[in-house]
């Protein structure tokens, strides 16, 4: 989980907690046991965001960015609002389509825009038919500031105009994130008045053949990593 601080105007460089989920998953995979996914932190305090458990595939290839789950996540039953102010039923609108889901916020100074940019650049390397199939969904963790209009301005610049941005009630967003092992906390303010947002930084890939989330990517996933894996994800294959 990343702790990211921004001011009400220009974002300041955050003090961040590096997500431990990917490292933990790699270790657990080697041991052949079950891992708690998406709630990493570097202290002993609970985030209070709940947890989800996923069984990691036995492969331990450290050269791969993807973590493949033996027991995939079910797509969250989220009905939110898109950048046009229209209702968006996540399950209905992405059914049978290769889908990447990421929870973040527009005032994020580094991880969120980097993740969207990496996916966007990798997507452009696909044949046009595959680009059209791929669904990338960005769900805000800061809905009070991230209105439909704000997402409509930010997402094309940070990522791609084809990406879907969603906002809505925070409790619904938090519950949906928890269903796929992503921990997020309500935004708070520190003593200086900076907004602090903590959220899991994983991208979850959903298969077009099963609509199940079977692949996780961490914040260090590169453009090349996505470019290599996306053709398989679009076909419903494991990277």
């Amino acid at each position: 989980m990343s702790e990211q601080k921004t001011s009400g105007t220009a974002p300041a460089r955050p003090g961040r907690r590096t997500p431990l989920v990917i490292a933990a998953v790699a270790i657990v995979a080697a041991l052949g046991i079950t891992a708690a996914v998406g709630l990493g932190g570097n202290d002993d305090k609970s985030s209070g965001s709940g947890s989800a458990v996923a069984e990691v595939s036995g492969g331990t290839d450290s050269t791969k960015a993807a973590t493949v789950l033996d027991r995939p996540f079910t797509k969250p039953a989220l009905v939110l609002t898109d950048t046009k102010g229209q209702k968006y039923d996540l399950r209905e609108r992405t059914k049978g389509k290769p889908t990447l889901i990421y929870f973040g916020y527009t005032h994020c100074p580094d991880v969120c825009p980097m993740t969207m940019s990496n996916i966007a650049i990798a997507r452009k390397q696909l044949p046009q038919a595959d680009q059209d199939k791929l669904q990338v969904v960005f769900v805000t963790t800061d809905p009070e500031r991230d209105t439909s209009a704000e997402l409509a301005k930010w997402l094309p610049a940070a990522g791609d105009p084809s990406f879907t941005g969603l906002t809505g009630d925070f409790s619904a967003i938090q519950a949906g994130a928890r269903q796929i092992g992503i921990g997020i906390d309500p935004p708070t303010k520190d003593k200086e008045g900076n907004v602090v947002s903590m959220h899991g930084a994983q991208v979850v890939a959903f298969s077009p053949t099963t609509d199940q989330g079977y692949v996780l990517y961490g914040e260090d996933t590169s453009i090349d990593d996505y470019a290599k894996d996306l053709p398989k994800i679009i076909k419903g294959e494991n990277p």
Side-chain angles (χ1 to χ4, degrees), residues 168-215:
D169 179 72
F170 178 82
S171 61
I173 292 170
Q174 185 182 48
R178 185 183 300 132
Q179 291 174 34
I180 57 174
I182 305 295
I184 62 174
D185 291 338
T188 59
K189 289 187 177 180
D190 62 19
K191 294 179 180 179
E192 287 74 38
N194 298 318
V195 175
V196 180
S197 179
M198 291 183 63
H199 63 89
Q202 294 76 46
V203 173
V204 185
F206 287 80
S207 168
T209 58
T210 64
D211 281 320
Q212 299 287 298
Y214 64 107
V215 181

Side-chain angles (χ1 to χ4, degrees), residues 25 28 33-37 52-57 69-73 213 216:
V25 164
V28 170
I33 59 178
T34 299
V37 177
V53 175
E55 195 167 301
V56 180
S57 174
L69 308 177
D70 284 337
R71 292 191 299 164
F73 291 117
L216 297 176

Side-chain angles (χ1 to χ4, degrees), residues 41-133:
N42 62 357
D43 56 28
D44 296 327
K45 296 179 182 179
S46 170
S47 71
S49 299
S51 63
V53 175
E55 195 167 301
V56 180
S57 174
T60 58
D61 186 350
S62 61
T63 64
K64 289 186 177 182
T67 298
V68 180
L69 308 177
D70 284 337
R71 292 191 299 164
F73 291 117
T74 298
K75 193 175 292 180
L78 276 172
V79 180
L80 299 171
T81 304
D82 65 16
T83 54
K84 298 179 181 179
Q86 303 296 314
K87 183 178 77 171
Y88 188 98
D89 186 320
L90 180 65
R91 284 185 177 176
E92 179 183 311
R93 297 286 290 274
T94 62
K95 184 177 181 180
K97 300 176 181 179
T99 304
L100 305 181
I101 297 178
Y102 181 79
F103 289 81
Y105 67 118
T106 66
H107 289 74
C108 172
D110 46 21
V111 177
C112 301
M114 179 187 69
T115 299
M116 291 297 98
S117 176
N118 286 353
I119 294 172
I121 295 171
R123 174 184 174 275
K124 288 186 183 343
Q125 298 180 33
L126 297 168
Q128 187 60 52
D130 285 348
Q131 290 187 42
D132 294 341
K133 291 175 185 176

